[in-house]
């Protein structure tokens, strides 16, 4: 029932990365980062809004961090 999800990212090097959120149908719901991820620890927040600005409905979402050499994903349950 949180109003915001914060992703804490640890990177050993500075790199180009993209952090996106998808619904269970694979549709991109939000683009949170598209650019340089700094070396060390950083955070990116998602206010549970869709690309059109409205709130996302309850359900399961997936955040995907993609970068040269890898992809990391996490499951995010949203309860309304």
């Amino acid at each position: 029932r949180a109003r915001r999800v914060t992703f804490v990212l640890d990177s050993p090097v500075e790199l180009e990365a993209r952090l996106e959120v998808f619904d269970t149908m694979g549709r991109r719901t939000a683009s949170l980062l598209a650019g340089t991820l700094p070396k060390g620890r950083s955070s990116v927040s998602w206010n549970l809004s869709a690309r059109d600005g409205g709130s996302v409905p309850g359900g399961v979402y997936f955040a995907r961090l993609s970068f040269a050499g890898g992809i990391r994903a996490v499951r995010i349950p949203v309860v309304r």
Side-chain angles (χ1 to χ4, degrees):
R1 297 187 190 270
R3 295 184 180 150
R4 174 179 312 269
V5 175
T6 300
F7 302 94
V8 178
L9 309 168
D10 286 312
S11 179
V13 296
E14 184 177 278
L15 50 81
E16 292 299 309
R18 181 177 294 275
L19 178 60
E20 300 169 297
V21 178
F22 297 89
D23 65 14
T24 55
M25 299 297 291
R27 296 177 294 224
R28 185 175 41 236
T29 302
S31 294
L32 306 176
L33 171 70
T36 303
L37 181 62
K39 177 181 177 180
R41 180 169 283 190
S42 59
S43 63
V44 177
S45 292
W46 176 40
N47 61 0
L48 302 178
S49 63
R51 291 172 52 177
D52 64 5
S55 295
V56 297
V60 176
Y61 295 85
F62 297 90
R64 180 179 72 189
L65 177 67
S66 54
F67 51 92
I71 294 176
R72 301 291 182 267
V74 295
R75 182 177 175 266
I76 305 164
V78 173
V79 178
R80 297 280 186 196

